[in-house]
Amino acid sequence: MDTRIDPTVHEAATMPHGPWPEDSLARVPYWVYQDQDVYRREQERIFESKTWNFVCLEVDIADKGDYRTNVVGGMPVIVVRAAEGGINCFENRCAHRGALIAFDDGGNVQNNFKCIYHAWSYDLAGNLKGIAFERGINGQGGMSKDFRRDDFSPRKLRTTVLGGLVFATLSDETPPIEEYLGAEITGRVKRVLNRPIRVMGRFSQPLPNNWKLYMENVKDTYHASLLHLFFATFRITRLTQAGGVLVSPDGAHHASYTIGSEDVAGTEAFKEKDLRSERDDYKLADPSLLQPVPEFGDKIQLQILSIFPSLVLQQIHNCLAVRQVVPKGTDKMEILWTYFGFEDDTPEMNTLRMKQQNLVGPAGFVSMEDGCVGGFVQRGIAAAGDKISVVEMGGNQAESQATRATESSVRGFWKAYRRFMGY
Amino acid sequence: MDATKLVELNAAYARAIDNEKFEEWPKLFHETCIYKLTTAENIAKGYEAGIMYADSRAMLEDRVSALRKANIYERHRYRHIVGLPVVLGQVKDVADVETPFLIVRIMRDGVMDVFATGCYRDKVTTNDDGALRFAERIVVCDGGRFDTLVAIPF
């Protein structure tokens, strides 16, 4: 399959520095992280196209009229629980002058939303229902009689729910979520989200780099033991530990995982290289955060899963989170972290999750470096828009592999990205 | 509880962190203690998670050793401006204290940014030797955004 051709794309791709170099999944041109036209095209061709975008958790909008605001790429949206129990999503833009219809993170609106600017109102499906002074005052002013409200409602998105995650899409052609993800990745989502969850906290983390650098980092199983000393030292994971990476057939989504048995012989590979991350003398004074309790009925200790374009579902022992990646310009982005546990957690499990939350987030023992490394790339490539990066560990394809010393799922990202973008 | 001693405790806290004497930081806590870094919004919603959480002094020591030995980040330091502590109440020997703070982050290249503001919500008790120590310090940040990374405690 030619990864560059999407039969539904008719518009010619414009690339700042000519065609994709070497036409290989193992090469990525740096202009893709820098160019303003690329950024605009991503909004149109990825976020507003045939993709499922995470918009909220189902528990965020349990009752009728409960809503959350979010963004799909750069497009502000409202997600709301409808009267009949369904979930609606529509663009958070008043049909009149374009103001935000809802400007808080969430809340409850009972039956309708009302734009504060001129009090135009919308029902829970995003239909324009009320226009203040539509007939004017004392026969003066008002809207013209032939104004058709239905032509001016905000854009509506279809929604779907998987394991309590709510996704939205602007396209009528986006396949059902299980088909979109493929059976393997769908199974890995359900593996973690197997019962009702409860939110434990929300934090956001602005990063000084293009959003794709973070998505690549999430998919990059190669770096984990090399960049993150904390992981490697305490044998939470290392490349020589059993595990692998699953890549969906279209390359777009991935799940990397480690299995709880340790390959002792493999540690020699680390020692020979005299890598920074090998320090056997490093011990914790209070190791209680590294005493996880198995809760998913298997031996998978750690699973990092990504859903194209911009969602990460993380299970690191008992530390569970979703990370929504929000583009904020060519060289800025934000991670919206939502930590969660399950409704049936015991107090002990709650405490254990809080302890393990030290591992991730902006202050995470094992994720802290991910906060700065994307910025190092963004700064490093400042004068290299016409140069390329090498993504060749484990070959040049994007298939599932039984090792994590590979960049297979990073190549999968580019396979999907190029198909959507027409590159 | 003696206000002067509380001011001294907070000054010692800020000085340990700002002068990068991180090993001094856990010593200001009791052996069994709570330290949590969270936001006003999480507290308001009843969400318990923090981006840092410790329920022992040993966990705070681990924060310091990770900072020293494990974690990689661009060189930077903090300047704390700590306001005046207010004693909200006292039950037996445990005082509930609230103290506002402002943290400026000074990056390697000289850029100075307001990194965080908020208030410390503390439970403070007196040691056998008469010194005040934290039984609990909840760092409640006013905002919910943490730029790039948080290596050094607040």
Side-chain angles (χ1 to χ4, degrees), chain A residues 291-408:
Chain A
Q291 290 157 1
V293 175
E295 60 175 328
F296 298 104
D298 55 26
K299 288 186 174 171
I300 295 174
Q301 292 186 327
L302 179 159
Q303 177 182 290
I304 306 291
L305 185 151
S306 70
I307 295 177
F308 191 86
S310 54
L311 185 72
V312 182
L313 170 65
Q314 159 224 304
Q315 177 240 327
I316 297 175
H317 297 300
N318 307 107
C319 178
L320 314 174
V322 290
R323 314 175 194 165
Q324 183 191 349
V325 174
V326 180
K328 294 270 183 179
T330 56
D331 60 353
K332 287 188 179 64
M333 57 157 280
E334 196 158 326
I335 312 171
L336 304 180
W337 292 85
T338 304
Y339 297 127
F340 66 91
F342 294 107
E343 274 180 11
D344 61 5
D345 283 347
T346 61
E348 292 74 22
M349 180 58 92
N350 186 51
T351 301
L352 189 58
R353 293 198 203 283
M354 287 203 288
K355 287 189 181 200
Q356 291 180 15
Q357 281 155 4
N358 281 295
L359 296 170
V360 299
F365 285 135
V366 293
S367 69
M368 190 182 296
E369 292 84 3
D370 295 329
C372 62
V373 78
F376 295 164
V377 175
Q378 195 79 36
R379 281 149 64 185
I381 64 174
D386 59 345
K387 304 287 190 295
I388 51 171
S389 74
V390 176
V391 191
E392 206 170 322
M393 285 296 287
N396 57 19
Q397 299 302 306
E399 77 282 26
S400 296
Q401 296 189 358
T403 176
R404 284 170 299 130
T406 178
E407 291 168 316
S408 189

Side-chain angles (χ1 to χ4, degrees), chain A residues 8 53 85 96 106 116 134 137 155 183 208 211 237 239 246 263 279 288 383 387 404 412:
Chain A
T8 64
N53 294 273
H96 178 216
I116 58 151
E134 187 169 14
I137 299 169
R155 288 187 284 179
W211 68 278
T237 178
L239 291 177
L246 302 174
D263 172 11
R279 289 192 192 178
S288 57
K387 304 287 190 295
R404 284 170 299 130

Side-chain angles (χ1 to χ4, degrees), chain A residues 177-223:
Chain A
I177 188 77
E178 287 86 355
E179 193 181 316
Y180 179 74
L181 295 176
E184 274 186 319
I185 303 297
T186 301
R188 292 303 185 112
V189 172
K190 289 179 174 172
R191 172 186 166 269
V192 176
L193 297 167
N194 61 6
R195 56 196 195 275
I197 65 167
R198 67 191 169 93
V199 173
M200 292 184 69
R202 287 195 160 96
F203 300 90
S204 83
Q205 185 180 10
L207 301 186
N209 54 262
N210 187 275
W211 68 278
K212 299 185 292 297
L213 286 168
Y214 185 76
M215 290 310 294
E216 287 184 279
N217 174 274
V218 162
K219 288 165 175 277
D220 170 7
T221 50
Y222 175 34
H223 85 283

Side-chain angles (χ1 to χ4, degrees), chain A residues 58-68 78-88 106-113 122-125:
Chain A
E58 209 177 4
V59 290
D60 290 330
I61 48 170
D63 302 318
K64 181 201 157 195
D66 284 355
Y67 76 95
R68 290 281 297 177
I78 294 171
V79 204
V80 60
R81 179 72 68 174
E84 63 278 14
I87 295 173
N88 296 330
N108 183 287
V109 290
Q110 300 294 328
N111 296 308
N112 59 58
F113 290 92
Y122 300 86
D123 67 15
L124 298 185

